[in-house]
Amino acid sequence: MRVLGIDPGLTRCGLGVVEGMVGRPLTLIDVNVVRTSAQLPVAQRLVTIEKGIDAWLDEHQPDAVAVERVFARSDVSTVMGTAQASGIALVCAARRGLPVALHTPSEVKAAVSGNGRADKAQVGAMVARILRLDAPPKPADAADALALAITHIWRGGAQARIDAALAAAGRRTS
Amino acid sequence: MRVLGIDPGLTRCGLGVVEGMVGRPLTLIDVNVVRTSAQLPVAQRLVTIEKGIDAWLDEHQPDAVAVERVFARSDVSTVMGTAQASGIALVCAARRGLPVALHTPSEVKAAVSGNGRADKAQVGAMVARILRLDAPPKPADAADALALAITHIWRGGAQARIDAALAAAGRRTS
């Protein structure tokens, strides 16, 4: 399974593609950050982000897209731009009919590090370890996008096992 | 000048097209609300909104688009969806190269009613009067979209006059 993780942001939008499945080593396919200038109008910045995501969907043909869930309680000065960028990410995936999942920052931190309150450095270090990289991906937005993709593969796998177990239990009791 | 006003929202996204210029009676061209079900995933709801806006841009060929500016201090339960929908509205306009402007709710209320704290009923009544309608457009999202378009035409006109006056003053003093 190939997953595109997107860490939405207006100034830096992280994109990371990871391939693999639960219980097997995961592989980094590509990672990048779409940057837009704060000097430009928001509408134009969002178009740049849309083009960047569309280009990556074309190039990497992921099976699913994982986007960070944005909360209103986040930093107020940037949260509106982050929410707008996340809307673009969701639309880019959904209009191609790709499955889209939202994962919270805590879920991602817990998935890659075992600690829902891990800091940026810990997440970067774990992403590097999981993907067998020489160093944590930079900037943090790139590492976060990869962490989202890893989380999606691992949670998807766990969810599939839970569903299978429930289905098997259902068959036994019925 | 023909302006598409967009009152962004995930459940109801208001669209209103107004034609005219400052100092002349304005004309209602069309008004509508794109609705999406809260039962559906956000990504799918945003795609429906994108299709609705794109269809209106195709049909009405506006010269400019006016979108309500969303603030983080708004109702927290809906503000993320509103911000995401506004991002879609901005991208739909900007990728066609249309001029996009953001107007705050206070600016819109002040423009149509003379009172930046006017309530929904006042805004609806003034929109009906300005566009010579028999009754306020329903729901409020429809009236708000038209109020945005009216504001854009009137502010644009005022700005153009200010720019012209400054340019003339510049010529006289230089």
Side-chain angles (χ1 to χ4, degrees), chain A residues 105-118:
Chain A
S106 308
E107 286 165 349
V108 173
K109 290 171 184 173
V112 300
S113 78
N115 172 9
R117 296 181 172 193

Side-chain angles (χ1 to χ4, degrees), chain A residues 8-158:
Chain A
L10 210 46
T11 303
R12 287 183 306 276
C13 182
L15 304 176
V17 181
V18 176
E19 197 168 75
M21 53 193 295
V22 180
R24 299 271 184 86
L26 303 183
T27 308
L28 166 70
I29 303 295
D30 208 349
V31 63
N32 193 19
V33 174
V34 179
R35 295 166 196 270
T36 75
S37 164
Q39 312 300 318
L40 297 175
V42 172
Q44 207 174 316
R45 300 174 76 183
L46 292 170
V47 170
T48 301
I49 291 167
E50 180 185 46
K51 283 183 183 159
I53 294 172
D54 270 335
W56 266 48
L57 290 169
D58 285 340
E59 187 178 341
H60 294 297
Q61 301 284 331
D63 303 302
V65 176
V67 182
E68 186 172 296
R69 191 184 289 277
V70 186
F71 290 101
R73 61 172 167 68
S74 310
D75 178 13
V76 168
S77 69
T78 61
V79 72
M80 289 294 106
T82 305
Q84 289 173 326
S86 81
I88 304 308
L90 295 175
V91 158
C92 286
R95 69 181 164 216
R96 290 169 188 244
L98 288 173
V100 193
L102 293 159
H103 303 287
T104 69
S106 308
E107 286 165 349
V108 173
K109 290 171 184 173
V112 300
S113 78
N115 172 9
R117 296 181 172 193
D119 61 21
K120 294 264 176 214
Q122 275 177 280
V123 170
M126 285 306 301
V127 165
R129 188 173 304 176
I130 293 162
L131 298 177
R132 290 152 291 133
L133 311 175
D134 296 330
K138 294 274 166 76
D141 315 81
D144 286 347
L146 292 169
L148 272 157
I150 293 167
T151 301
H152 188 79
I153 293 171
W154 284 353
R155 292 190 90 195

Side-chain angles (χ1 to χ4, degrees), chain B residues 19-57:
Chain B
E19 197 167 76
M21 51 194 294
V22 179
R24 299 272 184 85
L26 303 183
T27 307
L28 166 70
I29 303 294
D30 207 348
V31 62
N32 193 20
V33 174
V34 178
R35 294 166 196 270
T36 75
S37 164
Q39 311 300 318
L40 297 174
V42 171
Q44 206 173 318
R45 299 174 77 182
L46 292 170
V47 169
T48 301
I49 290 166
E50 179 185 47
K51 284 185 182 158
I53 294 171
D54 270 336
W56 266 49
L57 290 170

